[in-house]
Amino acid sequence: MANRTIIKVEGLNLFYEELQALSNVNLDIAEKEITAFIGPSGCGKTTFLKCINRMNDLVPGCVIEGKISINDVDIYGNINVDMLRRTVGMVFQKPNVFPMSVYDNIAFAPRGHGTRKKADLDALVIDSLTRAGLFQEVKDRLHKPADELSRGQQQRLCIARALAIGPEIILMDEPTSALDPISAEIIEGLCRELKENYTVLLVTHNMQQAARVSDKTAFFLLGQCLEFGETSQVFSHPQNEEFQKYISGKF
């Protein structure tokens, strides 16, 4: 049985002043699946991702038309944006650890949301690091600076930090592009584990990565979503001519 739709995108257009960066995007994204977004640089993948947690609100001159619903709630309606960003966590291309300890990186947001008891924070830190596959590696370094970790460990710390706020959806913007192959493989494995409990949206330039880890794949070009479907289906029987060229290396 197909998973239910958790994110519904209808007629999405996005403008940076006179520049139209997204054009009439319509997608139904299922819960507890990995949906990959692929396409050439500048095609709108990351711009689309940032619509899901309204990070584009922070861009001057940005205008958004259309509708995005999460759990049937219009996220561009009258909602609490802070609560939205607790529902939708984000992991960026390069690890952006805070200049503090491993422990405090995880505890930072929960403290800001009112969790104060040490026992509660301890449990949350351990659980988040365990879910990110990092606890055994850092359990003796929790109070050491986070920037002493390897880059791959730092990226998993950023994933753990996103998990600590209790999201339903995790946005990942090229999370392995700055990592060595072994660290990238670990992150890919972690993504597969995370989809047991979370909905993962993954922007990647790596078509092989999309084929390996995702359940669905969307192909973007010039701000339009030209192909979307089951990953095995779209790679083996692409319907869009531009997507056929893309996966065959013709552009």
Side-chain angles (χ1 to χ4, degrees), residues 103 107-122:
Y103 183 101
F108 183 83
R111 282 188 182 120
H113 292 300
T115 303
R116 291 285 188 268
K117 289 184 179 178
K118 185 177 184 303
D120 292 341
L121 288 170
D122 287 351

Side-chain angles (χ1 to χ4, degrees), residues 68-123:
I68 300 177
S69 302
I70 295 178
N71 292 322
D72 297 321
V73 175
D74 181 1
I75 67 168
Y76 284 89
N78 184 23
I79 67 161
N80 183 318
V81 177
D82 286 339
M83 288 301 296
L84 170 67
R85 291 177 185 152
R86 292 185 69 175
T87 301
V88 185
M90 188 158 187
V91 178
F92 297 91
Q93 182 174 3
K94 293 181 179 178
N96 58 336
V97 298
F98 299 154
M100 53 185 68
S101 70
V102 171
Y103 183 101
D104 287 333
N105 263 266
I106 306 297
F108 183 83
R111 282 188 182 120
H113 292 300
T115 303
R116 291 285 188 268
K117 289 184 179 178
K118 185 177 184 303
D120 292 341
L121 288 170
D122 287 351

